[in-house]
Amino acid sequence: MRVVMFYHSLVSDWNHGNAHFLRGVASELLERGHQVRMLEPKGGWSRANLTEEYGQAPVETFHRAYPRLRSYEYELDSLDLDRELDGADLVLVHEWNEHSLVERIGSHRLRSGDYRLLFHDTHHRSVTDSASMAAYELEGYDGVLAFGEPVREIYVRRGWANRVWTWHEAADTRVFQPLPDKTKRGDLVWIGNWGDDERTAELYEFLIQPVHALGLKTEVFGVRYPQFARHALSAAGIRYGGWLPNYRVPETFAQFRVTLHIPRRPYVEALPGIPTIRPFEAMACGIPLISAPWNDVEGLFEAGTDYLVARNGAEMRLQLQRVVNDPEMARTVAQSGYRRILARHTCEHRVDELLRICMEIHPVKKRPVTTGIV
């Protein structure tokens, strides 16, 4: 198939978790011999923030880490959809795109395209900014890929789309895998962005305060940490490492004994069951994971077996002590989570699901196509 993908950024993962899954899906499609063309807006906020802070070096190292992946920047006013979508079999349009582009692609499909067209929603805006999501014009789209069942139900209940499939994120196991030979340099690592006051209280209760009480050697990586947050980390003896390229996460996980899942509040209160991609990646790397309160309503994992649960700060202290002081128990949890990922939650599984959805829409067109990134 010829697959065309409109996403915010492939190159930059600065405050942009969607890039993680996108890279894995694109890599898997290429591995299977499909043709992939990736388009991202010129001057997009994630890439702009990344290069403003670090220059062009992260872009260059990304291409060395993913030599088969490439994206092309476009300017919305001059984007030629007839050219970009010529010969397409499948077009994926992410929900971070401008409303006008989403509508233009839908109109193009109605006017001149026989490709499959899917809208991909990987955020909590369906509940936190529903007016903006309702404003997307999805006429001409075959349906929506929602990254969790609660999001799928919202689309169906509100009549935003005729067909909606649940399509969870997953780990790219080409990149995210255990590295057992790495020497440990600390006890706990947390990789995540501060961002938007959606989990400020939770970060104090489940990360900062337990680490301070236990005196664990801890490092934190991520962006958008305000000055007060950096002061709080420092006061608790936690080293703040700033932005970490996502492809370097496996080697970082391998140097610590445990990591945490601290979900943002919308994924606890309004959209239970959506873990976002970080837990998938952590388990794929074979590191024990302890989660703050999160209700896995879809049964993606087995709580207490694939990962440990802490319902409050006191329980987090106890769970951290267990993991740090009982290597065999920690290894058992890590191995269970790792097996779960390999069995159900890799990008290979998700591409299988995507191809089944494509066949459900309509069978593959018989057209010879050159494989690879174009």
Side-chain angles (χ1 to χ4, degrees):
M1 290 196 303
R2 183 174 193 267
V3 184
V4 182
M5 308 175 80
F6 292 85
Y7 282 71
H8 178 70
S9 184
L10 173 77
V11 171
S12 176
D13 55 34
W14 190 98
N15 199 47
H16 181 229
N18 309 129
H20 307 188
F21 185 49
L22 176 60
R23 294 166 182 173
V25 168
S27 296
E28 181 63 28
L29 287 168
L30 287 170
E31 185 69 22
R32 299 186 188 200
H34 298 290
Q35 186 186 70
V36 177
R37 184 166 178 82
M38 198 79 61
L39 295 159
E40 62 181 75
K42 188 173 183 178
W45 52 261
S46 179
R47 186 165 177 168
N49 277 285
L50 180 65
T51 55
E52 179 181 351
E53 188 169 355
Y54 297 98
Q56 289 298 316
V59 177
E60 296 166 3
T61 56
F62 163 80
H63 287 299
R64 287 198 293 271
Y66 294 92
R68 298 187 67 189
L69 298 187
R70 176 176 295 182
S71 63
Y72 298 88
E73 294 181 288
Y74 66 84
E75 293 186 351
L76 191 57
D77 292 342
S78 59
L79 179 63
D80 186 344
L81 289 181
D82 286 336
R83 182 187 66 194
E84 297 295 349
L85 300 179
D86 182 39
D89 296 287
L90 170 64
V91 180
L92 299 179
V93 182
H94 189 250
E95 45 87 15
W96 273 118
N97 283 293
E98 296 286 344
H99 288 75
S100 59
L101 176 62
V102 173
E103 182 175 0
R104 280 180 59 190
I105 296 173
S107 296
H108 182 276
R109 161 69 189 281
L110 288 172
R111 183 181 70 252
S112 58
D114 59 352
Y115 48 84
R116 306 168 188 84
L117 178 58
L118 293 168
F119 187 68
H120 187 197
D121 190 333
T122 63
H123 203 260
H124 56 62
R125 291 194 299 152
S126 56
V127 292
T128 58
D129 192 6
S130 59
S132 176
M133 297 307 297
Y136 279 112
E137 178 51 68
L138 299 182
E139 185 180 4
Y141 285 70
D142 289 299
V144 172
L145 301 172
F147 81 141
E149 182 63 17
V151 175
R152 190 197 72 83
E153 291 172 353
I154 289 170
Y155 273 84
V156 172
R157 186 168 64 248
R158 298 181 179 177
W160 289 349
N162 292 325
R163 304 175 79 180
V164 191
W165 294 269
T166 298
W167 197 46
H168 285 286
E169 296 181 314
D172 178 3
T173 50
R174 291 177 180 81
V175 176
F176 293 86
Q177 54 187 272
L179 300 173
D181 296 333
K182 292 288 183 180
T183 301
K184 296 290 186 285
R185 73 171 192 247
D187 299 308
L188 168 64
V189 63
W190 188 69
I191 302 171
N193 305 322
W194 189 272
D196 300 328
D197 198 31
E198 291 176 347
R199 56 182 167 200
T200 300
E202 291 84 350
L203 287 170
Y204 275 95
E205 181 178 4
F206 292 99
L207 171 66
I208 296 172
Q209 293 167 358
V211 164
H212 189 219
L214 296 173
L216 298 179
K217 189 174 182 181
T218 300
E219 296 185 25
V220 166
F221 296 89
V223 301
R224 299 181 69 193
Y225 279 68
Q227 198 60 44
F228 78 85
R230 297 189 190 194
H231 284 154
L233 293 176
S234 179
I238 299 171
R239 178 185 175 271
Y240 172 59
W243 171 71
L244 181 70
N246 199 49
Y247 54 83
R248 287 183 49 201
V249 165
E251 66 182 77
T252 302
F253 276 148
Q255 297 174 70
F256 291 84
R257 303 182 190 283
V258 62
T259 191
L260 307 180
H261 175 44
I262 306 176
R264 294 173 184 265
R265 210 164 300 125
Y267 297 121
V268 176
E269 297 176 351
L271 297 172
I274 299 177
T276 70
I277 201 165
R278 292 291 188 188
F280 292 112
E281 293 176 341
M283 292 185 207
C285 289
I287 185 172
L289 175 70
I290 306 173
S291 180
W294 168 66
N295 186 11
D296 182 10
V297 297
E298 296 183 61
L300 300 174
F301 307 104
E302 185 174 342
T305 301
D306 299 332
Y307 66 95
L308 302 177
V309 179
R311 292 172 295 180
N312 51 52
E315 287 192 4
M316 179 60 78
R317 290 195 296 275
L318 291 174
Q319 296 286 35
L320 285 168
Q321 286 179 310
R322 290 180 66 202
V323 170
V324 171
N325 294 327
D326 189 344
E328 184 57 37
M329 183 276 293
R331 185 161 41 251
T332 299
V333 171
Q335 289 175 345
S336 180
Y338 176 63
R339 287 194 297 267
R340 185 78 61 180
I341 293 296
L342 294 185
R344 296 180 56 185
H345 302 305
T346 70
C347 287
E348 183 178 356
H349 291 103
R350 298 302 182 258
V351 169
D352 285 343
E353 294 166 8
L354 179 63
L355 297 179
R356 285 196 293 269
I357 290 168
C358 287
M359 290 300 293
E360 185 178 335
I361 295 169
H362 61 73
V364 176
K365 293 178 287 186
K366 303 298 183 181
R367 180 196 301 123
V369 63
T370 303
T371 62
I373 284 281
V374 295

